[in-house]
Amino acid sequence: MVSDTTDVFKEIRPYRDDEVAGAIQRLIHDDEFIGAIAKYRFAALSRWGGSALRSLIRHYLGWRWRRVNSIRQVQLEVAGYMEKMIASTTAGVTYSGMEQLEPGKGYLFISNHRDIALDPAFVNWGLHSHGLDTVRIAIGDNLLRKPCATELMKLNKSFIVKRSAKGPREMMKAFSELSAYLRHSIDEGHSIWIAQKEGRAKDGDDKTDPAILKMFYMEGKRQKIPFGDYIRSLNLVPVSISYEYDPGDLAKARELHAKATHGGYEKSEFEDIQSIVQGIVGQKGRVHVTFGQPVHGDFDNADDLAAAIDREIHANYHLFPSNLLAAGQTAGVDPAAAEAFERHMTGIPADLRERVLSMYARPVLNKD
């Protein structure tokens, strides 16, 4: 165990094995956490016997997790929930490009971002299923407004991106720490998942923010290593995550519509949490994840690197019938798939259909 005096990443890093048991006990005794399980898992029962139900949930979790005392065990618990979620809300999850990944090597996976929780979860499922270590997940502190959310995320190998940092000096300190933590993780053989930009691509247009890449380089700049050399040392791998159906397509369209018609959109306090739940329980159809070629080029700056990552993510995006049909391409599309997409679109309010169609069509346009 590293002592607090040398634990320079304590504020942002995930939990370690010796911290697991304490975090689990805090979760079991967190009323909001237990209440959320009662609400989402046992909605009908929670209306009739709230306090008794919460007591039962608390006792069950205490029994279920009584021997969980390592991050590896937590990951196996999560894998069990993932397996059930995949069986009940998808028509199958497939992977490509995993043969080029080396066991024990730390990679910096940078992916497109469509779903808050499921994007890294599906990356992890692929790695776990192929006998590779799961990733440490970059997560914004905007999602950690509740103590139970922080406990859950840090138990699941998430590290904190301090988006709430204000002022140039505070932001510089936060991003320098983050850049150093990425370097530290990869040097120790731990892989990282991070989105290609802050926030989801709600319009379906997957674009890498060069600012993210500049953050990667801050530790290299401190060490006076040329940009291209440092980026190559990070084992950067672009990842394309493709959903046949986006459980959040309607909510995203509403937000885009509000911004276009009213000039802005105000999120409700726990809208991000609602989006996470919707992503987990909503039907996704088929899902495909492609691990692209590791970035080996000689790049002089973040803009050139961002363009190269975009090309790889766009080229590897798996186009489903929903994408092709939304883009007006019907050739070769199975009639049953076309009928399913038509049914899906009839459930979208008329004033939002064009936005949803544009969302599904964008990967086709980007690939072209």
Side-chain angles (χ1 to χ4, degrees):
M1 176 182 172
V2 179
S3 69
D4 287 345
T5 55
T6 58
D7 190 0
V8 294
F9 302 115
K10 186 176 178 64
E11 280 191 21
I12 65 170
R13 65 165 174 78
Y15 285 140
R16 294 173 174 156
D17 286 349
D18 62 302
E19 298 166 312
V20 168
I24 286 176
Q25 285 305 308
R26 290 191 294 275
L27 273 175
I28 291 172
H29 291 92
D30 188 300
D31 289 336
E32 283 194 273
F33 174 64
I34 299 300
I37 293 175
K39 177 181 176 182
Y40 290 110
R41 183 68 179 84
F42 306 101
L45 287 174
S46 66
R47 288 195 292 270
W48 296 99
S51 59
L53 177 62
R54 287 193 291 273
S55 179
L56 283 171
I57 293 170
R58 212 182 299 273
H59 280 92
Y60 170 75
L61 292 179
W63 173 82
R64 172 74 183 260
W65 294 340
R66 69 193 184 282
R67 294 193 180 92
V68 176
N69 52 28
S70 72
I71 294 300
R72 171 68 178 166
Q73 288 172 296
V74 172
Q75 293 282 284
L76 292 174
E77 282 283 309
V78 173
Y81 292 120
M82 277 294 294
E83 190 167 17
K84 292 174 185 174
M85 183 274 294
I86 288 170
S88 61
T89 72
T90 81
V93 184
T94 52
Y95 293 87
S96 55
M98 301 202 68
E99 67 281 351
Q100 63 199 341
L101 302 178
E102 300 175 26
K105 186 173 183 177
Y107 293 94
L108 179 49
F109 297 115
I110 182 167
S111 88
N112 62 328
H113 195 22
R114 299 302 184 87
D115 188 279
I116 296 172
L118 290 182
D119 292 347
F122 280 124
V123 167
N124 264 346
W125 180 253
L127 295 171
H128 171 74
S129 301
H130 287 76
L132 299 170
D133 288 337
T134 53
V135 296
R136 291 175 173 176
I137 302 166
I139 184 168
D141 58 4
N142 58 301
L143 297 174
L144 305 178
R145 294 171 185 166
K146 295 289 186 182
C148 59
T150 302
E151 302 288 4
L152 284 168
M153 296 301 183
K154 294 184 79 170
L155 279 169
N156 195 35
K157 296 178 69 172
S158 295
F159 60 94
I160 299 169
V161 178
K162 296 179 181 176
R163 290 181 180 171
S164 59
K166 303 297 182 187
R169 183 173 296 180
E170 186 182 350
M171 292 172 67
M172 182 67 71
K173 181 177 182 294
F175 294 143
S176 295
E177 180 184 32
L178 182 59
S179 183
Y181 180 70
L182 299 182
R183 173 80 275 167
H184 169 77
S185 294
I186 291 164
D187 286 347
E188 289 198 331
H190 296 287
S191 292
I192 296 288
W193 177 91
I194 194 165
Q196 66 182 158
K197 67 175 183 178
E198 182 179 327
R200 292 165 290 162
K202 292 167 186 170
D203 60 357
D205 193 9
D206 301 312
K207 295 289 185 186
T208 304
D209 183 354
I212 300 283
L213 309 180
K214 291 175 183 176
M215 179 275 290
F216 293 170
Y217 179 54
M218 289 178 78
E219 180 62 14
K221 189 174 183 179
R222 187 187 70 79
Q223 296 181 28
K224 297 181 170 56
I225 301 172
F227 181 84
D229 293 343
Y230 189 76
I231 290 299
R232 281 193 296 275
S233 76
L234 293 176
N235 305 324
L236 187 62
V237 174
V239 178
S240 305
I241 306 172
S242 318
Y243 298 87
E244 186 169 19
Y245 290 100
D246 183 345
D249 56 9
L250 181 54
K252 291 175 183 176
R254 283 183 177 137
E255 180 176 337
L256 294 172
H257 182 71
K259 287 178 177 177
T261 55
H262 305 297
Y265 177 79
E266 192 70 32
K267 277 187 180 181
S268 61
E269 186 179 4
F270 301 117
E271 190 167 327
D272 285 332
I273 302 300
Q274 292 166 355
S275 296
I276 289 173
V277 173
Q278 180 60 44
I280 292 170
V281 303
Q283 292 297 315
K284 292 164 273 290
R286 291 169 290 177
V287 180
H288 187 80
V289 181
T290 304
F291 291 83
Q293 291 292 324
V295 173
H296 290 310
D298 190 14
F299 299 97
D300 295 326
N301 56 66
D303 291 322
D304 290 346
L305 177 58
I309 291 170
D310 287 348
R311 286 193 294 272
E312 186 78 0
I313 288 177
H314 294 164
N316 290 330
Y317 193 100
H318 184 86
L319 298 178
F320 289 109
S322 53
N323 304 115
L324 299 171
L325 292 166
Q329 298 182 18
T330 58
V333 174
D334 180 71
E339 186 179 338
F341 184 66
E342 187 175 344
R343 280 198 308 272
H344 181 78
M345 291 307 301
T346 58
I348 305 292
D351 61 332
L352 297 176
R353 281 177 196 159
E354 282 303 316
R355 292 191 185 279
V356 172
L357 284 171
S358 176
M359 190 186 303
Y360 284 107
R362 175 54 65 177
V364 180
L365 304 179
N366 284 341
K367 191 182 280 273
D368 290 344

